[in-house]
Amino acid sequence: MVITLIGMPASGKTCMGKTLAQKLHMKVIDGDKLIESIHGKKLHEIIDEVGLEGFKKIEEETLLSINEDNIIV
């Protein structure tokens, strides 16, 4: 099972993800941190370089590339 949390920035996705993962005995992956680690840059730096539409494409590709089960993203 994969649970994906979506919402506005600072809406509590990371906090809720950690809580859910603990209660459901699942692994949690922070999508923003994954993108930053892959690209070696902060999100705002990526957006500055490629624009918001470019970032959305990077985000989509990154999240769709996760090939794990029993996780919360």
Side-chain angles (χ1 to χ4, degrees):
M1 171 178 14
V2 176
I3 298 173
T4 304
L5 302 177
I6 59 172
M8 298 297 293
S11 63
K13 297 178 300 290
T14 299
C15 182
M16 183 60 67
K18 289 177 183 178
T19 302
L20 275 173
Q22 196 172 37
K23 289 190 180 285
L24 298 175
H25 306 287
M26 298 173 77
K27 180 179 175 183
V28 65
I29 295 175
D30 185 315
D32 291 346
K33 292 194 185 321
L34 179 61
I35 293 167
E36 289 178 342
S37 71
I38 289 171
H39 292 274
K41 299 175 184 175
K42 296 289 186 184
L43 294 182
H44 69 87
E45 294 172 320
I46 298 169
I47 294 169
D48 288 347
E49 288 180 14
V50 300
L52 190 54
E53 290 305 313
F55 172 75
K56 288 179 183 179
K57 182 153 181 62
I58 289 170
E59 182 179 44
E60 179 181 12
E61 290 170 354
T62 302
L63 296 178
L64 289 175
S65 74
I66 298 171
N67 190 21
E68 293 188 46
D69 196 25
N70 203 37
I71 63 166
I72 298 173
V73 180

